[in-house]
Amino acid sequence: MGLAATSSCWIGTSWKMTKTLAEARRYAAGLAETLQARPELTDAVQAFVIPPHTALAEVDRQLQHVQAQVLLGAQNAHWEDAGAWTGEISVPQAADAGARLIEIGHSERREHFGETVEITALKVRAALRHGLRPLLCVGEPASVRDADEAEEFILAQVRGALAGLDSAQLARVLVAYEPIWAIGEHGRPATAQELAAPFAALDRAYGAQVEAVLYGGSVNQDNAAELLEIPGVDGLFVGRSAWGLDGYLELLKIGASHGRAHRGRLDG
Ligand code: PGA
């Protein structure tokens, strides 16, 4: 699992629609400086950062000496390579700006921008066609969870987006399970107990095939360690708690100690 053979856990953040260019530059410069001074922070962690499109190239520039430690991602990209698609950017354009990963199907994109399962499938293929990793986000609304249909719902989202991929393609896909009711400032953090069944279902169906399965939704410095212990969770995808550099570094520390302990268990 992971980019490097030693990676035990993925810790990443999407900045969503936040940060000016100057703020993005400051964060990325600070991250690069810290990772160069303390490379052990990513010994057992694959870090990733997903800025808004406007900051991609600048963040890429700031992270150039720590590229092996931090993957740069884009929050969205169109499935066509180029053309008359006003307001969109393509996977080759995102890659040109430095992205090596494309976030696809976040619940905010599904809800506000009409991103359907069919569209997520097109975007997954576009990312793979250009050698980038798709980070497919799935998750159910509260009503589906209350009806006890969460597993079925998220497996259908994953199945639809990944249909027809061969094993080499699947091995480059990241899946993030983010229950909609747990995301954002109106979200309620999910408990480890609530997450056990969906992760067991994802693990059974895709755990051995995809590169990693992550958890996202109100992750913070207090619950991260416990969330990482849930069977089937290979890492965390974080919004608000990682928008400040100190918050993200704290989460990397938690990931690193989880990774080391996990490796210790494997060694022992
Ligand atoms: P949050 O966002 O950590 O701020 O809840 C998570 C996400 O939307 O990926």
Side-chain angles (χ1 to χ4, degrees), residues 16 106 108 178 182-184 216-219 237-241 243:
K16 304 194 183 185
H106 189 279
E108 288 150 17
E178 307 198 301
I183 290 178
S218 295
V219 173
F237 187 25
V238 189
R240 292 156 297 155
S241 297
W243 289 349

Side-chain angles (χ1 to χ4, degrees), residues 135-239:
L135 167 57
L136 173 71
C137 302
V138 299
E140 82 288 356
S143 57
V144 170
R145 177 178 176 273
D146 293 344
D148 219 8
E149 289 167 357
E151 281 94 82
E152 216 173 294
F153 186 92
I154 59 178
L155 286 176
Q157 286 183 324
V158 180
R159 211 179 295 124
L162 306 187
L165 299 187
D166 64 29
S167 57
Q169 290 172 316
L170 284 172
R172 292 182 56 77
V173 172
L174 300 159
V175 175
Y177 170 50
E178 307 198 301
I180 296 172
W181 46 270
I183 290 178
E185 54 183 313
H186 303 299
R188 167 179 77 74
T191 63
Q193 200 182 356
E194 289 172 314
L195 295 173
F199 273 100
L202 283 168
D203 195 40
R204 256 194 317 276
Y206 290 98
Q209 299 183 63
V210 299
E211 182 153 34
V213 183
L214 317 183
Y215 173 70
S218 295
V219 173
N220 60 43
Q221 291 73 13
D222 295 326
N223 62 17
E226 189 188 4
L227 292 166
L228 283 170
E229 290 296 333
I230 298 169
V233 172
D234 301 317
L236 302 172
F237 187 25
V238 189

Side-chain angles (χ1 to χ4, degrees), residues 15-217:
W15 296 346
K16 304 194 183 185
M17 198 171 73
T18 74
K19 297 198 194 302
T20 62
L21 207 44
E23 289 165 345
R25 184 182 301 123
R26 239 189 332 270
Y27 186 119
L31 179 59
E33 199 183 324
T34 306
L35 293 184
Q36 281 184 293
R38 304 185 52 198
E40 73 279 3
L41 274 178
T42 53
D43 267 358
V45 170
Q46 177 59 60
F48 63 95
V49 173
I50 311 186
H53 296 327
T54 49
L56 268 177
E58 179 59 28
V59 172
D60 183 47
R61 218 177 347 266
Q62 296 296 334
L63 296 180
Q64 60 181 324
H65 298 303
V66 290
Q67 272 183 4
Q69 291 162 276
V70 193
L71 264 181
L72 183 63
Q75 293 177 24
N76 178 39
H78 198 269
W79 61 87
E80 292 288 345
D81 290 356
W85 297 95
T86 298
E88 292 288 313
I89 70 154
S90 68
V91 173
Q93 287 177 313
D96 185 44
R100 291 186 285 158
L101 173 154
I102 305 286
E103 183 180 353
I104 295 166
H106 189 279
S107 61
E108 288 150 17
R109 298 229 34 104
R110 294 182 196 253
E111 182 184 348
H112 304 301
F113 302 97
E115 200 148 302
T116 60
V117 169
E118 291 70 32
I119 290 174
T120 62
L122 288 169
K123 291 182 173 184
V124 165
R125 272 162 190 68
L128 290 169
R129 189 164 71 238
H130 294 285
L132 279 75
R133 286 180 163 71
L135 167 57
L136 173 71
C137 302
V138 299
E140 82 288 356
S143 57
V144 170
R145 177 178 176 273
D146 293 344
D148 219 8
E149 289 167 357
E151 281 94 82
E152 216 173 294
F153 186 92
I154 59 178
L155 286 176
Q157 286 183 324
V158 180
R159 211 179 295 124
L162 306 187
L165 299 187
D166 64 29
S167 57
Q169 290 172 316
L170 284 172
R172 292 182 56 77
V173 172
L174 300 159
V175 175
Y177 170 50
E178 307 198 301
I180 296 172
W181 46 270
I183 290 178
E185 54 183 313
H186 303 299
R188 167 179 77 74
T191 63
Q193 200 182 356
E194 289 172 314
L195 295 173
F199 273 100
L202 283 168
D203 195 40
R204 256 194 317 276
Y206 290 98
Q209 299 183 63
V210 299
E211 182 153 34
V213 183
L214 317 183
Y215 173 70

